[in-house]
Short mmCIF file of all heavy atoms in Angstrom, two decimals:
data_model
loop_
_atom_site.label_atom_id
_atom_site.label_comp_id
_atom_site.label_asym_id
_atom_site.label_seq_id
_atom_site.Cartn_x
_atom_site.Cartn_y
_atom_site.Cartn_z
N VAL G 7 2.72 12.10 5.01
CA VAL G 7 2.72 11.33 6.23
C VAL G 7 4.03 10.54 6.45
O VAL G 7 4.47 10.46 7.58
CB VAL G 7 1.45 10.36 6.22
CG1 VAL G 7 1.47 9.54 7.50
CG2 VAL G 7 0.16 11.18 6.10
N LEU G 97 -16.56 22.70 20.67
CA LEU G 97 -15.95 21.79 21.58
C LEU G 97 -15.32 20.64 20.79
O LEU G 97 -15.95 20.13 19.86
CB LEU G 97 -16.96 21.26 22.58
CG LEU G 97 -17.68 22.36 23.41
CD1 LEU G 97 -18.61 21.72 24.41
CD2 LEU G 97 -16.68 23.25 24.14
N VAL G 110 -6.81 23.48 8.98
CA VAL G 110 -7.53 23.22 7.74
C VAL G 110 -8.41 24.39 7.38
O VAL G 110 -8.65 24.69 6.23
CB VAL G 110 -8.35 21.89 7.86
CG1 VAL G 110 -9.12 21.65 6.59
CG2 VAL G 110 -7.43 20.74 8.15
N LEU G 203 -2.94 30.88 19.10
CA LEU G 203 -2.36 30.61 20.44
C LEU G 203 -2.90 29.32 20.98
O LEU G 203 -4.13 29.17 21.14
CB LEU G 203 -2.73 31.76 21.43
CG LEU G 203 -2.07 33.10 21.23
CD1 LEU G 203 -2.47 34.03 22.41
CD2 LEU G 203 -0.54 33.01 21.16
N PRO G 215 -3.72 35.67 30.99
CA PRO G 215 -2.60 35.47 30.06
C PRO G 215 -2.41 36.65 29.12
O PRO G 215 -1.28 36.96 28.73
CB PRO G 215 -2.89 34.14 29.35
CG PRO G 215 -3.80 33.41 30.27
CD PRO G 215 -4.62 34.46 30.95
N HIS G 283 -18.09 24.64 38.78
CA HIS G 283 -17.93 24.40 40.20
C HIS G 283 -16.45 24.39 40.68
O HIS G 283 -16.25 24.39 41.90
CB HIS G 283 -18.55 23.03 40.58
CG HIS G 283 -19.98 22.95 40.39
ND1 HIS G 283 -20.91 23.63 41.23
CD2 HIS G 283 -20.78 22.30 39.47
CE1 HIS G 283 -22.16 23.32 40.83
NE2 HIS G 283 -22.08 22.51 39.75
N LYS G 296 2.93 25.26 40.93
CA LYS G 296 3.99 26.24 40.98
C LYS G 296 5.01 25.85 42.05
O LYS G 296 6.19 25.97 41.89
CB LYS G 296 3.45 27.63 41.25
CG LYS G 296 4.51 28.72 41.28
CD LYS G 296 3.96 30.09 41.59
CE LYS G 296 5.10 31.13 41.49
NZ LYS G 296 6.27 30.86 42.36
N LYS G 340 19.70 6.23 26.36
CA LYS G 340 20.75 5.97 27.38
C LYS G 340 20.10 6.13 28.82
O LYS G 340 20.32 5.30 29.67
CB LYS G 340 21.88 6.92 27.22
CG LYS G 340 23.07 6.69 28.14
CD LYS G 340 24.17 7.69 27.83
CE LYS G 340 25.35 7.54 28.74
NZ LYS G 340 26.18 6.35 28.28
N GLU G 360 19.08 18.78 19.06
CA GLU G 360 19.49 17.47 19.39
C GLU G 360 20.19 17.41 20.78
O GLU G 360 20.31 16.29 21.37
CB GLU G 360 20.46 16.86 18.35
CG GLU G 360 19.82 16.49 17.06
CD GLU G 360 19.54 17.68 16.14
OE1 GLU G 360 19.98 18.81 16.47
OE2 GLU G 360 18.92 17.50 15.08
#
Side-chain angles (χ1 to χ4, degrees):
V7 176
L97 302 182
V110 179
L203 290 185
H283 297 289
K296 183 181 184 305
K340 184 180 181 73
E360 289 80 5

